[in-house]
Amino acid sequence: MAFDFKKEYKDLYLPKKKPSIIRVPKMNYLSVCGNGNPNEPDGDYHKSIELLYGIAYTLRMSYKTDHKIYGFFEYVVPPLEGFWWQDGIKGMDYTKKDKLSFISLIRLPDFITKEDVEWAKEQARQKKKKDYSQVEFFTYDEGLCVQCLHIGPYDDEPKTTAKMHQYMQEQGYLLDINDMRYHHEIYISDPRKCDPSKLKTVIRHPIKER
């Protein structure tokens, strides 16, 4: 059976519907940066997702090629994630989506190296006749965070983040969103296949001790 990150690391991908404090370990990702409203069909965000999955599945199926990755085992491609921010705005203003900047992410198993990602980019370019140069190997140590499972439309997230911030303060922590630490979303549900009222999204905010 293929290794499934969501099932093996439930504290990271399937938290409860009430806030909790977590220390997130350093992880490697595929990443693509962009700007603009994520709802625009031809915008940067939708393009970033296509690029990420093209490389993620090239790596996932690499064992069927001549490129052998040391320590490889079969796995389920982890869920799509995103770091989000708005220049000049502290927190998130959901009414100004055109001001958004983002890093779209897909987690990589530890055995995949930067060199493997470069191989996959060239392999995908040759096969799909598409430029994958925007995809990067990205290492990030997220550290101490407050998180919660949000169920419902993305525009309703402020209700969940308000609960997170109240809980964080009660536990003696301060919000620590800055130029290096971001509003973080992990998309457990596929919005193309799920009613908006049932969408599951992990929301994670960086914090620090008071």
Side-chain angles (χ1 to χ4, degrees), residues 58-68 72 74 119:
T58 299
L59 289 164
R60 167 68 178 83
M61 303 307 294
S62 63
Y63 70 97
K64 294 188 175 182
T65 72
D66 293 334
H67 183 83
K68 302 305 177 185
F72 182 93
E74 291 194 52
W119 167 84

Side-chain angles (χ1 to χ4, degrees), residues 20-21 165-174 207 210:
S20 61
I21 306 297
H165 294 170
Q166 180 180 350
Y167 176 79
M168 162 197 79
Q169 292 169 358
E170 290 171 350
Q171 300 302 309
Y173 295 97
L174 298 172
I207 59 174
R210 185 174 298 172

Side-chain angles (χ1 to χ4, degrees), residues 32-78:
V32 176
C33 299
N35 301 282
N37 190 331
N39 296 322
E40 292 179 357
D42 297 321
D44 283 1
Y45 184 65
H46 285 273
K47 292 175 182 176
S48 76
I49 296 173
E50 183 179 354
L51 293 172
L52 283 179
Y53 277 109
I55 302 307
Y57 279 98
T58 299
L59 289 164
R60 167 68 178 83
M61 303 307 294
S62 63
Y63 70 97
K64 294 188 175 182
T65 72
D66 293 334
H67 183 83
K68 302 305 177 185
I69 298 176
Y70 180 76
F72 182 93
F73 53 78
E74 291 194 52
Y75 61 95
V76 177
V77 172

Side-chain angles (χ1 to χ4, degrees), residues 9 21 23 26 29 31 43 52 64-65 83 99 113 130 132 138 142 151 188 190 209:
Y9 298 103
I21 306 297
R23 185 171 293 276
K26 181 187 293 186
Y29 301 87
S31 71
L52 283 179
K64 294 188 175 182
T65 72
F83 292 149
K99 301 294 185 182
T113 66
K130 188 177 182 68
Y132 287 89
F138 177 64
E142 194 165 13
I151 297 181
I188 305 303
D190 186 339
E209 293 184 0

Side-chain angles (χ1 to χ4, degrees), residues 83-85 103 140 178-184 204 206:
F83 292 149
W84 297 89
W85 69 95
I103 305 174
Y140 191 74
N178 54 48
D179 290 345
M180 299 298 294
R181 307 188 76 197
Y182 313 100
H183 172 93
H184 187 178
R204 192 177 290 160

